[in-house]
Amino acid sequence: MKIDLHSHTYYSDGVLSPTELVHRAISQKVEVLAITDHDTVLGLAEAKLAIADEQLPLQLIAGVEISTSWHEFEIHIVGLGIDADDELFQRRLASQQQRRIERAKEMARRLTKHQVPDCFEQVQALAHGGAITRTHFARHLVNIGKANSLSGVFKHYLARGKAGYVPNNWIALAEAVQWIHEAGGIAILAHPLKYKLNGKWLTRLMREFSEAGGDAAEVASPQQTPVQKREIWRLCQQFGLVASVGSDFHQPTDWNELGRGLYMTDDIVPVWQTYPDLLDEPAAHEEMLG
Ligand code: AMP
Ligand code: MN
Ligand code: MN
Ligand code: MN
């Protein structure tokens, strides 16, 4: 039984349409999938429709991944089981999208000083009317031959401190937790080890996330060693959080696939055990724990 609670469509920086994503989930034998695009829920309706139309054996969880500012870091909070039609929630996400548009314009402006012709409109066109992300800039810069790979663009242009980096202006961590809760969802700290925090800051992040009302943290992500899973789970236990699992799938690569590498040992309490309403048939998923 495969459960994957973190994935992207082309409504943010994934490459697959929602329909292609759910087809891929089926081919990878994923039975529960959360779509968690950056600051948008635009992909959910199409995914739901494809599953219903084709009667696919896949349970879709309505999700989102909200960007927040915490000290000088950008921290991502995943919301699961949200009501995507909630009007207040949609207005709140729209405000994040507006910040994304303004940031993208400023990024394009700064890049013009580094031999990149004004690219806001081309980058916007890559985003399918959804979230404009740094990944779209990276794809554009690869397209026009400024770098060979996305990671190369991040390294030379888009990482913190580089020419195209615009200091973030996202909502606060606690605000994202509140938005998710008020939309009926549970709040999960995404990929805790991706922020490259030292031990002291990671502990502080887990503590403050918990104090803000956060519910869980991603314990299982691909490429994470058993030792790293134990480290995050230990912090979860210290601060009263349960464990989530997610591939953070954006596109098929040698190192990332839907539903892959998300194994957890049976002493770890998964989020669907504490919040059984997340799943249609919680009992059917117990073997995932084994
Ligand atoms: P944004 O939310 O617009 O700042 O974009 C962040 C996204 O960029 C993340 O969700 C990742 O998908 C992607 N990303 C961040 N760092 C890198 C990197 N070094 N190489 C490739 N993709 C990256
Ligand atoms: Mn992304
Ligand atoms: Mn993320
Ligand atoms: Mn993600």
Side-chain angles (χ1 to χ4, degrees):
M1 167 69 58
K2 287 188 190 168
I3 297 178
D4 190 337
L5 302 180
H6 188 153
S7 71
H8 295 273
T9 75
Y10 66 26
Y11 285 105
S12 66
D13 56 356
V15 302
L16 302 184
S17 70
T19 301
E20 290 166 339
L21 184 72
V22 299
H23 287 167
R24 192 160 190 102
I26 295 293
S27 70
Q28 295 300 321
K29 303 200 164 34
V30 170
E31 290 175 56
V32 179
L33 176 72
I35 293 181
T36 55
D37 276 317
H38 295 289
D39 299 303
T40 182
V41 292
L42 277 176
L44 294 170
E46 181 189 315
K48 218 163 140 181
L49 207 66
I51 291 168
D53 272 0
E54 303 172 45
Q55 299 188 359
L56 301 174
L58 177 67
Q59 187 194 330
L60 180 71
I61 294 179
V64 68
E65 180 174 17
I66 299 179
S67 290
T68 75
S69 295
W70 183 75
H71 301 277
E72 74 267 38
F73 306 107
E74 296 190 30
I75 304 296
H76 291 179
I77 307 300
V78 161
L80 295 183
I82 43 146
D83 174 4
D85 298 322
D86 183 276
E87 281 180 22
L88 175 60
F89 189 59
Q90 288 191 347
R91 280 203 302 280
R92 286 169 158 171
L93 293 183
S95 74
Q96 286 278 94
Q97 293 302 341
Q98 195 53 42
R99 291 174 201 231
R100 285 187 169 277
I101 290 169
E102 278 151 25
R103 180 186 65 155
K105 287 180 176 162
E106 178 59 23
M107 286 172 69
R109 219 171 1 250
R110 292 188 188 192
L111 287 168
T112 59
K113 300 192 183 104
H114 296 267
Q115 289 75 52
V116 179
D118 187 14
C119 63
F120 172 75
E121 281 175 14
Q122 283 158 293
V123 170
Q124 190 178 39
L126 295 176
H128 295 90
I132 308 178
T133 71
R134 279 186 288 165
T135 309
H136 296 103
F137 278 87
R139 290 188 188 132
H140 176 70
L141 265 64
V142 170
N143 289 345
I144 63 172
K146 293 287 176 187
N148 295 323
S149 67
L150 297 186
S151 58
V153 182
F154 273 89
K155 195 167 162 202
H156 296 295
Y157 292 92
L158 302 180
R160 205 163 84 194
K162 300 296 175 180
Y165 181 77
V166 173
N168 60 85
N169 181 29
W170 309 121
I171 57 165
L173 186 77
E175 221 175 335
V177 173
Q178 187 191 347
W179 286 11
I180 289 164
H181 283 168
E182 289 181 7
I186 59 177
I188 295 165
L189 177 64
H191 42 63
L193 298 187
K194 261 205 185 161
Y195 311 113
K196 301 196 168 70
L197 305 175
N198 65 23
K200 188 172 142 226
W201 276 99
L202 180 60
T203 303
R204 184 172 175 183
L205 173 61
M206 299 281 282
R207 184 178 61 241
E208 290 191 18
F209 176 66
S210 171
E211 286 168 355
D215 304 299
E218 286 179 353
V219 168
S221 312
Q223 300 162 280
Q224 211 155 267
T225 66
V227 169
Q228 290 174 321
K229 288 181 193 175
R230 306 250 36 101
E231 181 192 352
I232 305 170
W233 177 239
R234 188 181 54 76
L235 287 168
C236 283
Q237 288 175 294
Q238 189 177 344
F239 298 116
L241 302 168
V242 292
S244 190
V245 299
S247 66
D248 199 5
F249 178 83
H250 288 73
Q251 64 191 95
T253 60
D254 289 344
W255 61 89
N256 191 275
E257 181 54 82
L258 274 179
R260 193 195 286 166
L262 302 179
Y263 178 79
M264 294 202 290
T265 49
D266 60 9
D267 56 314
I268 294 176
V269 180
V271 68
W272 56 86
Q273 184 173 305
T274 307
Y275 302 95
D277 290 352
L278 261 186
L279 305 185
D280 291 338
E281 299 165 65
H285 303 296
E286 293 209 330
E287 64 201 83
M288 175 92 180
L289 304 177

